[in-house]
Amino acid sequence: MYAYDEIDRTLVNERVSEFRDQVKRRLSGELTEDEFKILRLQNGVYLQLHAYMFRVAIPYGTLSSEQLRRLAHIARRYDRGYGHFTTRQNIQFNWIKLAELPDALADLAEVGIHAMQTSGNNMRNVTSDQWAGVAPGEIEDPRIWSELLRQHTTLHPEFSFLPRKFKIAITASDHDRAAIKIHDIGLRLVKNEKGETGFEVLVGGGLGRTPFIAKTIKHFVHGRDILSYVEAILRVYNQYGRRDNIYKARIKILVHELGIEKFSREVEDEWQHIRNSSLQIDDSVIEDIRSRFTYPAYEKLPHMPDELRQAAADPEFEAWRKNSVAPHKVQGYSIVTISLKPTGGPPGDATAEQMDALADLAEKYSFGEIRVGHEQNLALPHVAKRDLPALWKALDKLGLATPNVNLITDIIACPGLDYCSLANARSIPIAQELTRRFANHELANLIGRLHINISGCINACGHHHVGHIGILGVEKNGEEVYQITIGGRADESAALGTLIGPGVKFDEVADVIEDVVEAYLALRERPEELFIDTVKRLGVEPFKERVYATR
Amino acid sequence: MTSPLEQKKIKIAGPSVVTANRTWDGIVVYRTAAKGWSVDLSDAAIVRNSDEAKALLAESVADDVGAVGAYIAPVQVDEEGKILPGNLREQIRRTGVTIGSQAQV
Ligand code: HEM
Ligand code: SF4
């Protein structure tokens, strides 16, 4: 866990009282909506189809039980009893009343939660690997560096009025769970030959209307130089970035237009001017942040406890364990992913009751800590293996033990036309239908790892470009039509998917996906060849033939 | 459903209303002939040509203490004069999410 310091607490509290005053002036008419909009966005408040939507940050995806209970309280007291976990380590509430928002913010501030950096053209919350600090083989806990960047960029004037929003993600593992290649800046912790910690720096990733996979601009930037290097990137961006056209204002467009060589030269020049400035990080600063992250007092436990050995005889437990439980850096412990993708449910939603119960389970089994990942699932980061069977039973009672993590029904979907005022088409009902079609666990397991990502418009909040199967809702003559791509991926080998053919209607989407999956099962060389690898080997043609032959 | 937030020119193809979200709680509302807002679509003022639409929108936008994000939305009026949402987006705004909602209204 991370303990905020006094400065942060004061800052958060000041923001709450400022906002209370602003809301009061808005409701009395003293502030117009035009004047108020930027202020509400700075506090995570959007206007959506049905109501205001309130987006709350979960920095680097780490929550305490106390904080999760407070989120449950917000859902219950100010909303309709549930919240929606997003792809950027935030949670959204869909039905918040503006008049009650200051109270909600105040309740959150008491437990160190806020909504800063969740909206507007500024530096957004820095995201990280949801397994940070517990993944075996990671270079070091990437949250230390996320926190450093958070402190440096929060409310920093230079980062608060950018041409567009700006997103950074950090990972410290070989397997990228933070999707760094689709961020404006992606940072991968590495060690150089001398064993010093630093970063491979990637820039220019992003989805939306013009998707790009980030490119590496420098293979090693020493940890102590990371702020000056990021600053140099932002200066070059601020200098060239197109404020005149919001579609062209993202750094990905700039990197594309200048070319990666010219862009990196410009950054290098800028960096040489500032690298030895006050931006150079003193070891003591890092040490101070490091000391604020505390780790549990792990016990010395056996690798294979009796409880686990006995439970292995239960096929239902095993089905869940195989997909949900991952190795931990400490022997005898595991990381448990909690699927927020029940059959027929909206991806990423959790009820207040589920949040409360999970907070209790985290206290009992995970040292009071919960994580949020970009796949819209949660995780308990420190579960003793001997407790896995008991935890599974408890999760199952709550409807939180769907054994589908990383399978075809573990779908990422944006809110789409059911909630979002920018949407062209619905996303959630498509996801729900697909989870019903593939509800048979044996079938889903037979298919193996397969990520379906769905967005309701080209803004790509549902990451459709990088889904193994991507589904994009568009509108044609007043009707919802869906374009389907295959072959995308969001991990260390990130790639954009390829369109398989003309769009299909709402009612046909699930049939088409079934055809794609059947084609894969027929085409794969052996059961271990994943969908994404079959597409890579054969291209889209055989899938296209299968889908469109009969349509 | 091209988002009406991208509405640039005001050109209406059939009967329309002005809709927005009520400022204090964000709930969907419709502009009434009495220059107020109602949560009930059947209270909405209907406009049938672009000039009427423009005037109703201007008046609605001016009342931003009452409601925010006002725009013109299509409706259908059946034989009995009942007003129905003109597209899926407006249908969802009127009747709620289509996802077998967990929303506890
Ligand atoms: C419902 C209200 C929402 C609105 C109005 C909204 C709006 C937008 C817009 C306009 C963009 C495009 C930015 C660009 O030009 O690149 C965007 C991108 C994005 N949104 Fe949302 N969004 C909403 C909800 C969500 C939710 C629920 C999620 C998470 C599931 C999400 C995650 C993202 C992500 C990850 C991107 C970045 C895509 C990229 O890398 O460029 N958004 N959003
Ligand atoms: S992708 Fe489009 S429809 Fe989906 S949440 Fe983002 S802006 Fe809304």
Side-chain angles (χ1 to χ4, degrees):
Chain A
M1 291 306 306
Y2 180 77
Y4 282 103
D5 62 17
E6 206 49 54
I7 304 172
D8 278 302
R9 281 195 291 271
T10 311
L11 182 75
V12 169
N13 288 331
E14 279 171 8
R15 282 293 284 266
V16 173
S17 43
E18 249 175 51
F19 191 58
R20 193 180 291 284
D21 181 55
Q22 290 158 352
V23 168
K24 204 169 120 204
R25 289 193 289 144
R26 172 73 190 101
L27 293 175
S28 73
E30 203 180 313
L31 286 175
T32 65
E33 176 63 12
D34 275 352
E35 292 161 337
F36 180 67
K37 187 173 173 187
I38 180 158
L39 305 172
R40 69 167 158 77
L41 285 175
Q42 281 168 2
N43 290 286
V45 183
Y46 287 77
L47 187 62
Q48 283 306 312
L49 274 192
H50 310 280
Y52 293 98
M53 180 267 276
F54 178 39
R55 186 183 285 164
V56 174
I58 302 168
Y60 24 83
T62 301
L63 279 175
S64 67
S65 287
E66 185 194 28
Q67 289 173 323
L68 184 57
R69 275 189 201 107
R70 196 55 65 99
L71 294 174
H73 158 79
I74 299 294
R76 197 177 283 124
R77 167 79 183 73
Y78 303 104
D79 209 283
R80 295 192 179 175
Y82 68 102
H84 175 75
F85 288 94
T86 79
T87 54
R88 287 206 83 257
Q89 300 182 323
N90 292 317
I91 181 170
Q92 298 185 166
F93 298 100
N94 294 303
W95 315 89
I96 289 263
K97 299 179 174 69
L98 183 60
E100 293 181 349
L101 259 159
D103 291 342
L105 272 173
D107 290 356
L108 290 172
E110 283 175 8
V111 294
I113 302 186
H114 57 80
M116 283 180 263
Q117 297 191 317
T118 62
S119 51
N121 292 336
N122 56 18
M123 181 67 76
R124 296 297 182 82
N125 60 325
V126 176
T127 53
S128 189
D129 183 353
Q130 68 271 27
W131 294 0
V134 291
E138 90 184 346
I139 304 274
E140 77 169 320
D141 192 334
R143 295 173 303 169
I144 296 165
W145 301 92
S146 311
E147 175 56 19
L148 178 78
L149 281 158
R150 186 192 72 79
Q151 289 182 4
H152 183 67
T153 58
T154 303
L155 306 181
H156 189 306
E158 208 166 341
F159 300 108
S160 302
F161 299 97
L162 296 168
R164 284 287 270 127
K165 58 180 158 186
F166 202 92
K167 299 176 179 173
I168 300 183
I170 305 187
T171 181
S173 289
D174 287 339
H175 181 61
D176 173 15
R177 281 170 295 265
I180 66 169
K181 288 192 173 177
I182 57 170
H183 281 76
D184 296 289
I185 297 181
L187 298 175
R188 197 164 71 82
L189 270 158
V190 289
K191 292 231 189 262
N192 66 6
E193 318 80 62
K194 290 189 217 147
E196 295 166 319
T197 304
F199 294 89
E200 178 187 347
V201 180
L202 297 88
V203 289
L207 301 175
R209 196 174 298 267
T210 353
F212 285 106
I213 300 298
K215 298 188 180 75
T216 300
I217 61 166
K218 206 166 173 70
H219 288 281
F220 189 82
V221 173
H222 197 286
R224 75 171 97 85
D225 294 324
I226 195 61
L227 290 184
S228 59
Y229 197 79
V230 166
E231 174 94 17
I233 294 174
L234 278 153
R235 285 192 184 181
V236 172
Y237 169 51
N238 255 332
Q239 187 184 329
Y240 282 96
R242 303 259 315 248
R243 286 170 198 263
D244 57 326
N245 179 339
I246 67 160
Y247 297 120
K248 298 208 162 155
R250 295 292 292 266
I251 196 171
K252 61 191 177 187
I253 308 282
L254 180 64
V255 171
H256 182 71
E257 286 182 355
L258 285 183
I260 190 77
E261 286 78 24
K262 180 157 165 53
F263 186 84
S264 33
R265 270 201 311 278
E266 298 261 341
V267 170
E268 194 69 26
D269 284 354
E270 189 63 45
W271 185 46
Q272 294 310 332
H273 286 116
I274 57 174
R275 67 182 291 194
N276 294 321
S277 66
S278 60
L279 287 172
Q280 196 175 89
I281 311 155
D282 205 71
D283 283 347
S284 66
V285 173
I286 295 295
E287 278 320 308
D288 181 54
I289 294 178
R290 200 187 307 266
S291 70
R292 288 170 178 278
F293 281 97
T294 51
Y295 300 90
Y298 297 112
E299 291 172 68
K300 216 169 150 34
L301 295 176
H303 172 64
M304 189 38 131
D306 290 342
E307 291 87 344
L308 195 54
R309 210 184 301 269
Q310 280 155 18
D314 180 344
E316 279 189 48
F317 171 78
E318 276 299 282
W320 172 80
R321 186 193 59 80
K322 282 202 181 102
N323 292 319
S324 316
V325 177
H328 194 282
K329 68 176 186 192
V330 177
Q331 178 184 297
Y333 287 86
S334 312
I335 307 167
V336 174
T337 299
I338 294 162
S339 168
L340 294 182
K341 318 289 175 68
T343 303
D349 279 9
T351 63
E353 290 67 38
Q354 287 176 325
M355 290 187 241
D356 272 338
L358 253 179
D360 293 347
L361 288 176
E363 240 152 32
K364 197 161 171 194
Y365 296 120
S366 182
F367 298 91
E369 196 175 326
I370 303 98
R371 301 289 181 86
V372 184
H374 87 273
E375 299 89 349
Q376 301 179 290
N377 286 324
L378 302 178
L380 295 180
H382 326 276
V383 180
K385 285 183 172 174
R386 60 156 188 244
D387 294 334
L388 285 169
L391 173 64
W392 169 67
K393 283 203 181 100
L395 288 173
D396 197 31
K397 274 199 199 121
L398 298 166
L400 292 171
T402 316
N404 63 347
V405 173
N406 286 328
L407 298 182
I408 190 165
T409 50
D410 186 0
I411 297 171
I412 295 178
C414 81
L417 191 58
D418 283 291
Y419 292 102
C420 175
S421 58
L422 302 175
N424 290 323
R426 286 172 290 168
S427 328
I428 297 171
I430 299 275
Q432 290 173 303
E433 177 58 19
L434 286 169
T435 62
R436 288 185 205 106
R437 291 284 176 109
F438 294 97
N440 180 321
H441 183 69
E442 269 158 47
L443 172 64
N445 242 346
L446 180 78
I447 298 165
R449 193 181 182 99
L450 203 170
H451 296 298
I452 299 182
N453 295 0
I454 312 174
S455 306
C457 83
I458 195 64
N459 286 321
C461 303
H463 296 187
H464 65 274
H465 300 102
V466 291
H468 295 176
I469 297 178
I471 303 176
L472 165 64
V474 296
E475 184 244 337
K476 221 172 162 184
N477 305 325
E479 239 191 303
E480 296 165 295
V481 170
Y482 295 83
Q483 296 178 348
I484 293 163
T485 52
I486 59 174
R489 58 196 296 172
D491 59 4
E492 58 282 0
S493 315
L496 301 171
T498 308
L499 199 62
I500 61 165
V504 299
K505 293 190 179 148
F506 183 85
D507 294 333
E508 295 170 346
V509 176
D511 292 343
V512 168
I513 303 303
E514 274 184 348
D515 286 354
V516 169
V517 170
E518 273 173 29
Y520 155 65
L521 291 175
L523 290 164
R524 69 182 179 189
E525 268 180 335
R526 45 186 203 299
E528 299 76 44
E529 186 179 66
L530 298 183
F531 174 79
I532 187 73
D533 296 323
T534 305
V535 177
K536 192 165 175 198
R537 181 167 58 82
L538 296 173
V540 301
E541 278 313 314
F543 294 92
K544 194 172 183 165
E545 268 165 37
R546 175 74 182 232
V547 168
Y548 293 99
T550 54
R551 284 195 167 76
Chain B
M1 314 300 112
T2 300
S3 170
L5 304 183
E6 289 164 29
Q7 246 172 21
K8 287 186 190 87
K9 280 202 226 95
I10 294 176
K11 214 174 76 197
I12 62 173
S16 301
V17 299
V18 168
T19 180
N21 294 78
R22 192 158 66 192
T23 302
W24 76 271
D25 64 352
I27 291 305
V28 173
V29 287
Y30 304 93
R31 190 70 178 173
T32 65
K35 299 194 188 307
W37 297 99
S38 169
V39 294
D40 196 345
L41 179 57
S42 59
D43 295 337
I46 306 272
V47 288
R48 294 178 188 275
N49 63 52
S50 304
D51 286 341
E52 283 175 21
K54 242 183 256 175
L56 188 66
L57 183 63
E59 157 205 323
S60 307
V61 168
D63 177 16
D64 90 335
V65 182
V68 292
Y71 63 91
I72 297 163
V75 290
Q76 286 166 11
V77 184
D78 70 11
E79 297 98 74
E80 286 135 44
K82 191 168 154 49
I83 310 174
L84 302 165
N87 60 31
L88 178 61
R89 183 182 201 272
E90 294 310 321
Q91 174 74 44
I92 290 172
R93 286 180 81 242
R94 199 177 82 81
T95 49
V97 293
T98 66
I99 59 179
S101 136
Q102 328 182 4
Q104 299 141 14
V105 186

